[in-house]
Amino acid sequence: MRSKLSGRRQILKDSAALVGVAVGATRSVGGQTRQSGASGEQQALDSDLAPYGDRSHFVTSERINRCILPSPRSHFCLLTPLQNSVGIITPSSLHFVLSHDHHPPDIDPKTHHLLIHGMVDRPLTLTMDDLERLPSVSRIHFIECNANSATQPMRLAQTATVQETHGYTSCSEWTGVPLSVLLSQVGVQRSASWIIAEGAEQSMHFKSIPLLKVMDDVLVAYGQNGEPLRPQQGYPLRLVVPGWEGINNVKWLRRIKVVDQPYMGMMESTKYPSLRMADGKARWFQFEMGPKSVITRPSGGQRLPVRGFYQITGLAWSGGGAVRRVEVSTDGGATWKDAQIQGPVHQKAHTRFRLDWEWNGEEAVLQSRCTDERSEVQPTVAEIARIWRVNVDFFQKTPLITGHFNAIQPWRVTREGNVQNAIF
Ligand SMILES: Nc1nc2c(c(=O)[nH]1)N[C@H]1C(S)=C(S)[C@@H](COP(=O)(O)O)O[C@H]1N2
Ligand SMILES: [Mo]
């Protein structure tokens, strides 16, 4: 039997040999055959001249459009290709998008204002210039729509990819001003307890957020991954509400009203589908996203070409704080091993984990389980069913289930090496 290390060494040797073959080999591009070495040089030259860089034309990973509700007219959705992710940062161009209007408003930052008013002593209007002069911070946080993993057929199909089952989450470095700093300028009145944040698009998305959370870690962000926010992410200004349902992260932010009660907008009442329970009641004011993880490679739709060494890798995150531990099982949950966690681990951020694995060619079921710093453990489907007081088959029958579906995700590797969704 080969040891783990020699297996890995063999891989390194094999891939070195492959590189040797590939250099200078000819390749067919768009019907023409050309020297791959030469095309690489040409591209390097072209991108030297490009004022704003592009990725290699060999890289084709893209977001896909799969909507949550049956009527795609009411919202616009793009899912992040997590199967191709490396590290913890989602490139801005691949960040998932969930908007209730189809087109992001085209906002000129020179004329954009943020108004802070309501139960404050000194209402304030800030320009983008004003905001950029204030003390800023940069923090790495995930955003996750609470409908992530909660919709059919993506959740059920054996052919589902991790992009379809988990692509409504992404992780960026956000730069901006803590909202607590802005509120300290306006003098919040003692009886205030909530804010309402409003976006500038036609449909005026708004969301009530408790003041306690706002004073803790909410950011008014203008930067994403080292540059201004992308239009679909809220350019020029958005809220980042770390660890809480995506819906709180109000994009195209133009107004914050300090108030003494939640305003129960369309998006925070029974109309918000993923808050609805099986018995027709709604669960309100559950904001924090629970501990969750998923193996991104190998994952649904991928193929293991040969038996032997693979590194299992994936992402873990929790709205409750930092990820403390990720365990991986390669035998359907019978036994678990601690995965290596890539540091530094950030609060309420995607966290990369890895586990070396020898595939022996037999059927295997791979899954990961996240534990956060508060010792909250990612549940199985059966455990979630118990919490929601429903039968497990509820999650199979109902097209749109309650949000916050953070169940352990199993991937089955068949003897042929095909990787399939094995959640049911
Ligand atoms: N103004 C505005 N903000 C919004 C939304 C919206 O439709 N309009 N959608 C919300 C929802 S439901 C989610 S999940 C997140 C998604 O953020 P992203 O599109 O940057 O990934 O934005 C939230 N903020
Ligand atoms: Mo969302």
Side-chain angles (χ1 to χ4, degrees):
M1 216 186 86
R2 275 197 327 218
S3 75
K4 203 159 80 176
L5 195 64
S6 72
R8 182 160 37 183
R9 249 185 227 135
Q10 190 60 41
I11 291 286
L12 296 178
K13 258 173 63 189
D14 290 352
S15 42
L18 283 176
V19 169
V21 171
V23 168
T26 52
R27 212 177 46 84
S28 179
V29 181
Q32 288 172 304
T33 302
R34 61 184 194 197
Q35 204 72 19
S36 67
S39 84
E41 278 159 32
Q42 189 54 50
Q43 194 190 352
L45 265 178
D46 291 349
S47 59
D48 277 351
L49 299 174
Y52 192 86
D54 215 344
R55 64 183 180 175
S56 163
H57 65 271
F58 292 108
V59 181
T60 54
S61 181
E62 282 180 346
R63 297 182 290 202
I64 51 170
N65 188 345
R66 295 272 190 291
C67 275
I68 292 175
L69 298 170
S71 161
R73 287 175 145 271
S74 61
H75 58 311
F76 177 79
C77 323
L78 293 172
L79 287 95
T80 293
L82 293 174
Q83 67 276 19
N84 304 122
S85 66
V86 293
I88 60 168
I89 298 293
T90 311
S92 303
S93 47
L94 296 176
H95 195 284
F96 86 94
V97 180
L98 214 151
S99 299
H100 300 100
D101 284 356
H102 276 242
H103 298 289
D106 188 21
I107 299 176
D108 181 347
K110 288 200 195 69
T111 58
H112 190 69
H113 293 93
L114 173 63
L115 167 65
I116 305 178
H117 68 145
M119 299 174 74
V120 300
D121 293 335
R122 297 170 297 278
L124 190 63
T125 303
L126 295 144
T127 64
M128 289 304 297
D129 276 346
D130 295 336
L131 281 162
E132 281 165 21
R133 273 172 48 206
L134 291 171
S136 64
V137 295
S138 293
R139 298 204 194 110
I140 295 175
H141 291 302
F142 74 84
I143 294 180
E144 181 178 22
C145 179
N146 77 336
N148 197 23
S149 319
T151 54
Q152 281 183 10
M154 286 115 80
R155 177 165 43 90
L156 294 184
Q158 208 178 59
T159 54
T161 65
V162 68
Q163 182 166 19
E164 293 169 311
T165 60
H166 288 73
Y168 284 122
T169 183
S170 301
C171 184
S172 290
E173 185 199 62
W174 305 102
T175 297
V177 184
L179 184 46
S180 59
V181 169
L182 300 180
L183 290 185
S184 71
Q185 304 286 305
V186 295
V188 173
Q189 291 165 6
R190 288 180 73 111
S191 47
S193 51
W194 291 74
I195 66 158
I196 308 165
E198 181 189 78
E201 80 264 49
Q202 221 178 5
S203 63
M204 284 196 317
H205 174 88
F206 74 87
K207 183 71 180 65
S208 315
I209 305 167
L211 204 51
L212 220 57
K213 173 67 174 174
V214 167
M215 300 311 276
D216 180 22
D217 62 359
V218 171
L219 287 183
V220 173
Y222 47 76
Q224 180 186 8
N225 299 331
E227 61 181 355
L229 298 171
R230 293 292 169 99
Q232 287 172 317
Q233 260 67 59
Y235 180 84
L237 202 61
R238 83 175 301 166
L239 276 191
V240 173
V241 182
W244 282 26
E245 295 173 333
I247 195 161
N248 293 282
N249 298 257
V250 175
K251 304 189 278 192
W252 314 294
L253 180 70
R254 73 163 173 203
R255 187 156 76 104
I256 289 171
K257 189 171 181 187
V258 179
V259 295
D260 61 359
Q261 57 180 307
Y263 270 44
M264 305 310 289
M266 195 269 266
M267 292 301 156
E268 49 200 312
S269 64
T270 47
K271 278 265 164 52
Y272 196 51
S274 35
L275 292 173
R276 243 186 274 139
M277 303 268 297
D279 54 10
K281 291 183 182 159
R283 192 160 72 160
W284 286 352
F285 304 139
Q286 176 175 346
F287 301 124
E288 191 179 292
M289 302 305 288
K292 191 163 175 177
S293 69
V294 69
I295 293 169
T296 55
R297 198 181 65 223
S299 62
Q302 295 180 338
R303 211 174 162 270
L304 309 188
V306 291
R307 63 182 63 186
F309 175 82
Y310 290 90
Q311 188 173 61
I312 296 169
T313 183
L315 292 166
W317 62 96
S318 173
V323 169
R324 196 181 66 202
R325 180 182 194 192
V326 181
E327 297 154 283
V328 169
S329 171
T330 57
D331 55 13
T335 61
W336 296 84
K337 278 190 193 136
D338 275 311
Q340 308 156 34
I341 290 182
Q342 173 72 58
V345 176
H346 299 271
Q347 290 280 322
K348 305 167 192 178
H350 283 180
T351 302
R352 175 66 57 182
F353 66 86
R354 304 182 174 100
L355 184 82
D356 292 351
W357 178 53
E358 276 298 308
W359 180 47
N360 61 11
E362 295 298 314
E363 184 175 295
V365 176
L366 314 179
Q367 54 197 22
S368 60
R369 176 166 72 190
C370 169
T371 304
D372 70 18
E373 64 182 341
R374 295 197 309 213
S375 303
E376 294 272 339
V377 182
Q378 183 179 5
T380 60
V381 177
E383 282 162 349
I384 294 186
R386 223 172 300 137
I387 296 167
W388 288 96
R389 281 177 269 123
V390 293
N391 295 324
V392 172
D393 67 358
F394 169 77
F395 298 117
Q396 280 161 285
K397 288 181 184 156
T398 315
L400 184 69
I401 61 165
T402 48
H404 296 266
F405 192 76
N406 61 334
I408 289 172
Q409 169 68 46
W411 302 116
R412 178 182 299 105
V413 181
T414 68
R415 283 163 172 244
E416 295 73 40
N418 295 315
V419 187
Q420 301 170 343
N421 180 16
I423 191 135
F424 293 112

